[in-house]
Amino acid sequence: MRVVPPARPRKLAKVPFVELADGRLQGVVSSGSDIGRVYVSSIAAGTYAYACSTNNNRPCGGARGGFCNHIRALVAEAVLQYGAERVARYLKAEPGDGELDGAGLVASLAATRPAPGGSSAAAPVFSRFLRHLTYLELEPVTAPLPEMHWFPSTGAVA
Amino acid sequence: MRTDLLFDPVDGLDEALAAVDAFDGVLVDGLLRPQPAQVAGLTALADAVAGTPLAARVTEAVEKAVAGAASEDHFVVLAAARTALMGSVHDALTARIGEVTGRPRAAETAPAADGEEHAVNVLAAARAWLCDLARTGWHGIDHDLIAGAAPVVSAMLPDPLLRRQAALLDGFAAELAASCPGTALERVPERRWADLWSRALLLTLPGAARTPAVSPATGRLLPLGVDVQEHATAVQAQVHAVFEPADGAAPRLVRASVSAPKPDTVVGAGLWQLLRPRMSLLAAVGEGRSMELDAMPLTAEGDLLWDDERARAGEAADPFATARVILSTATDPVTAPLDRHPARIAVPVLLEGYAAESADDGTLTFDLAGQRLAVDTDRAPAAGPLTAKAVATSGACVGLLRWDAGEFVLQPVAVETTVRKKTVAVHAGAWAGGTTDKAGARAEKAATDAVTVLRERAGRLLRK
Ligand SMILES: [Zn+2]
C-alpha cells in the first residue's frame, strides 16, 4: 500500500542527511575537522556529475579530480538508509555482477570517470536539511490524525 | 462472534466502488483538457450521487470539469461526492462488522458546533496546490509542482490545530515527489492518491480543523493494544482500549492517540522515544497496566484527547482478560461524518480457536471454521516483539479488523502462544514504554544516538 518504504536505521554522525531528490543523490556530510562546518555533496542520476562544497559555498578541495571522501561517505550512507538497489536504480547506475554494497557502488560510479557538476544545488539541499532538523523541535499532539491510517507501519521483522 | 459473516458479499459495495474508480481514473491525466474517457468517469460519479442532496451541485461541478473550467469550489464538490461514496462503503462495512461482533453501537453524534475560522490563508494555499494537482493529473506531476507543498506544510506544522492537515500533506507530497516525473510512472496508485487528494482537499474547508465536542471521562482504562502508523516525517501511535466509566455506565471502546512530526532518519525505537514523553499511557501499555482517568476529555467518536495530568497508573491488566471478559459488552463508537472511509476501519476483536496457515509466499491466514481470514503482520511496529512467526504459532489473537483491497483483514496487536506448555502473550506495543529485551535495548540506544546527533547538528546550524 505504501509507495515509499521507510528509511533503515543508520548512524548519523558522519552523514546526518541523505535524500534521493531532484534527480540527484544528495546530502549533508559533517566535516571531520571542524564541528561547525558541513559539506553539501551530490551525484546526479544518469551522468553521475558530482559536486561538493561547504554550506557557505566554498568548493571542497578533495573534489577536484574525482569523488572526495564526503561523496564516498554520502553514497555509503545512502546505501545503508535506502538499500543499494534503490540507490543504484535512482542514479540509473549499472553496477557489475555480484553482491552490491556501498563500496562496490562507489567504485562502479567512479569507474565511469564522471565530470564535476555545478554546486548550485548546495543551497536548497542545505535548507531542506535545516527544515528537516526543525521537525525535532515540534511538540507531539494527542488529537487523533485519522489520515495516518493510510500510512501503516511496515516494520515487522520476520 | 459471527465470523462467517465476514465472508458474505456486501450489497451495493461493488457499485459504489466502481463509481469511485471511474472518478479516480479521471485524475490520472488531470482536468486541464478532459478527454472522452474522463468525461465518462466524471459522469459516473455524478450518476452515483443522483438522488442524494449532493446531486445538483455535483452535476454542476461535473459540467464545469468536463469543459476544463472547474474552479476550486467545483473540485471541492467532486471530492465531497467521492468522499460520500466512500462513506457509504464505510457504513456498510461497519454495519457488517457490528453483525459479526454483536456489540452495541453508540448513538449518532451531532455535528460539531460552528466555531471561529482558523488559519484561513494557509488552508487556502493548500487548496490551491491540491487543485493544481487535479488539473495536472498524476501523469503530469514534476518536482516544481510538488515542491509547492513544502511552504504550506512548513506554515502548518507549528500550529497544533493544523497537525492533521500538515501530516497528510507532508506524507502525500513526499510520496508524489518520490514518483516524479509522472510521465515515467509505470503504475499509478489511483485509489490511494485519490483518497489522499480528496481528504486533503476537504480538510482545507472552514470547520474541518475544528476541535470536536468533548465530555469528561472518569473511570478505568483497560488497554487492548497499540497500532503504529508512520510515514517518513510523521508517526502516530493509537492505543485501543476499553473504558469503564466510574458511574457504572456501559463500557465503551475508545482510542488514545499521540503523534509527532519527525526527521525521516528517526525510525524504530526512535518513534516510541518521540511519543513517550507526551502520553504516560504508552508506559502503562508496556507494563501491562490499566490507568485511572479523571475527567479526561473524550469525543463522541471515542477519541480520548490525552492529558497526562488527568491519568494515573492503575493495577495490572491483561489485555486478553479484558478482551475475553469486557470487550463483547463494550459499545463501539460512531465515526465522525467526514472520517467515514473504509481505510480507517480498525475495530478491536478477539479471535480464538483458529488454525493459522502460512502459505509459501509468506502470506498468513487464520482458518475460521473453514473460511480464511487474511492476516496482515506487516503493520506491527519494527520496535516490538510481535513477529509474523509469533502470529503464525498463536492460539488467540487480539487484532484490529480492517478492510483492504476488497476483503476483511486482521491486524494482530497481541497474540497468545504456547512456549513449553505455558501460555505467553506477545504484544505489538510491548516496547512502547521502553524494554529490557536485548534487541529492543539495542534499538533504543541506536535511536537515542541518532536523535542526539540531529539535536547537536540543529543546535549548531539552525540558529545562525
Ligand atoms: Zn567533499
Side-chain angles (χ1 to χ4, degrees):
Chain A
M1 184 160 148
R2 274 180 64 179
V3 172
V4 190
R8 301 180 197 176
R10 63 180 181 88
K11 291 201 166 79
L12 303 178
K14 232 197 295 182
V15 184
F17 183 61
V18 166
E19 61 174 3
L20 299 167
D22 304 338
R24 282 184 295 268
L25 161 61
Q26 51 197 19
V28 172
V29 183
S30 295
S31 161
S33 54
D34 178 353
I35 50 170
R37 186 193 297 161
V38 292
Y39 290 84
V40 178
S41 311
S42 67
I43 299 180
T47 64
Y48 319 141
Y50 58 90
C52 187
S53 60
T54 69
N55 50 318
N56 299 323
N57 260 328
R58 286 171 201 275
C60 166
R64 279 192 203 111
F67 292 171
C68 59
N69 287 337
H70 307 120
I71 292 175
R72 289 171 188 275
L74 175 73
V75 176
E77 294 295 311
V79 164
L80 289 181
Q81 180 161 331
Y82 298 114
E85 201 219 351
R86 188 166 157 209
V87 177
R89 199 172 353 112
Y90 191 88
L91 290 175
K92 304 191 177 81
E94 284 156 19
D97 296 339
E99 189 91 349
L100 189 58
D101 61 9
L105 182 58
V106 169
S108 73
L109 295 173
T112 66
R113 305 203 151 272
S119 64
S120 55
V125 175
F126 188 65
S127 75
R128 267 210 298 277
F129 170 55
L130 294 183
R131 177 172 182 263
H132 179 88
L133 289 179
T134 62
Y135 276 53
L136 268 184
E137 312 201 333
L138 297 161
E139 288 295 314
V141 300
T142 56
L145 310 181
E147 284 70 30
M148 288 302 289
H149 282 265
W150 272 264
F151 302 95
S153 204
T154 54
V157 270
Chain B
M1 287 264 286
R2 288 282 313 275
T3 50
D4 56 306
L5 296 173
L6 291 172
F7 307 93
D8 282 359
V10 175
D11 286 343
L13 195 86
D14 291 345
E15 290 84 348
L17 289 174
V20 167
D21 289 344
F23 174 74
D24 296 351
V26 171
L27 293 180
V28 173
D29 289 311
L31 281 164
L32 222 45
R33 277 175 288 280
Q35 301 301 304
Q38 293 173 288
V39 173
L42 289 164
T43 310
L45 180 70
D47 289 349
V49 296
T52 75
L54 287 169
R57 295 187 66 178
V58 175
T59 304
E60 186 204 333
V62 164
E63 279 169 12
K64 294 289 183 188
V66 164
S71 69
E72 289 189 1
D73 286 345
H74 297 130
F75 284 121
V76 168
V77 170
L78 295 177
R82 186 188 183 281
T83 303
L85 287 173
M86 281 304 203
S88 73
V89 172
H90 167 276
D91 292 357
L93 293 170
T94 38
R96 174 59 56 83
I97 292 175
E99 293 168 41
V100 170
T101 65
R103 289 199 294 253
R105 279 197 86 68
E108 294 289 327
T109 59
D114 283 347
E116 60 188 271
E117 301 307 343
H118 187 76
V120 178
N121 293 339
V122 67
L123 290 171
R127 191 155 57 238
W129 179 74
L130 290 159
C131 290
D132 278 346
L133 276 185
R135 292 189 188 97
T136 309
W138 310 131
H139 275 158
I141 57 171
D142 59 26
H143 285 295
D144 282 348
L145 175 62
I146 304 311
V152 178
V153 172
S154 292
M156 284 177 167
L157 275 171
D159 183 345
L161 289 180
L162 294 176
R163 239 0 125 61
R164 184 174 172 185
Q165 287 86 343
L168 168 57
L169 283 177
D170 211 9
F172 186 25
E175 202 165 300
L176 293 174
S179 308
C180 280
T183 45
L185 272 179
E186 282 167 21
R187 227 194 91 256
V188 174
E190 291 181 25
R191 188 182 288 175
R192 175 177 172 79
W193 285 357
D195 273 352
L196 298 175
W197 174 81
S198 49
R199 299 199 68 74
L201 192 52
L202 292 189
L203 286 177
T204 67
L205 294 182
R210 206 169 286 148
T211 336
V214 295
S215 54
T218 299
R220 187 161 69 142
L221 189 68
L222 299 158
L224 290 165
V226 191
D227 176 30
V228 177
Q229 304 131 19
E230 56 171 312
H231 60 59
T233 52
V235 57
Q236 172 168 262
Q238 288 191 315
V239 177
H240 291 261
V242 175
F243 168 61
E244 283 186 318
D247 63 6
R252 297 173 61 176
L253 264 170
V254 297
R255 287 173 300 252
S257 308
V258 59
S259 65
K262 69 177 191 72
D264 65 350
T265 39
V266 173
V267 293
L271 307 180
W272 297 128
Q273 291 176 3
L274 283 181
L275 301 176
R276 236 173 244 158
R278 182 65 180 83
M279 191 160 85
S280 55
L281 178 59
L282 290 178
V285 166
E287 292 165 11
R289 288 185 176 282
S290 64
M291 290 201 89
E292 298 294 333
L293 307 186
D294 180 15
M296 184 74 77
L298 174 61
T299 72
E301 287 82 35
D303 287 302
L304 293 165
L305 305 182
W306 196 265
D307 175 357
D308 274 348
E309 300 278 299
R310 300 189 171 279
R312 59 185 171 79
E315 290 168 9
D318 169 18
F320 278 92
T322 302
R324 287 185 177 113
V325 178
I326 315 171
L327 181 57
S328 65
T329 64
T331 310
D332 273 300
V334 168
T335 308
L338 189 61
D339 298 346
R340 291 156 52 243
H341 190 292
R344 55 145 300 165
I345 293 174
V347 180
V349 292
L350 169 71
L351 290 182
E352 294 179 282
Y354 50 79
E357 292 175 359
S358 308
D360 290 340
D361 63 357
T363 57
L364 189 65
T365 52
F366 284 172
D367 188 321
L368 304 160
Q371 285 164 311
R372 288 189 176 154
L373 178 63
V375 179
D376 184 352
T377 52
D378 281 348
R379 282 180 175 254
L386 184 62
T387 59
K389 196 171 154 228
V391 177
T393 55
S394 67
C397 176
V398 175
L400 299 173
L401 211 45
R402 293 183 174 275
W403 190 83
D404 187 27
E407 60 173 1
F408 285 106
V409 177
L410 185 75
Q411 172 192 351
V413 294
V415 296
E416 278 183 348
T417 59
T418 307
V419 179
R420 288 185 216 98
K421 294 186 185 165
K422 280 179 83 177
T423 301
V424 177
V426 185
H427 299 274
W431 299 353
T435 179
T436 51
D437 177 283
K438 234 193 224 166
R442 252 201 320 273
E444 290 276 342
K445 167 83 167 56
T448 308
D449 291 349
V451 169
T452 304
V453 167
L454 291 177
R455 285 203 199 285
E456 185 275 335
R457 295 282 80 184
R460 238 172 248 293
L461 299 166
L462 265 184
R463 282 165 282 274
K464 273 196 173 173

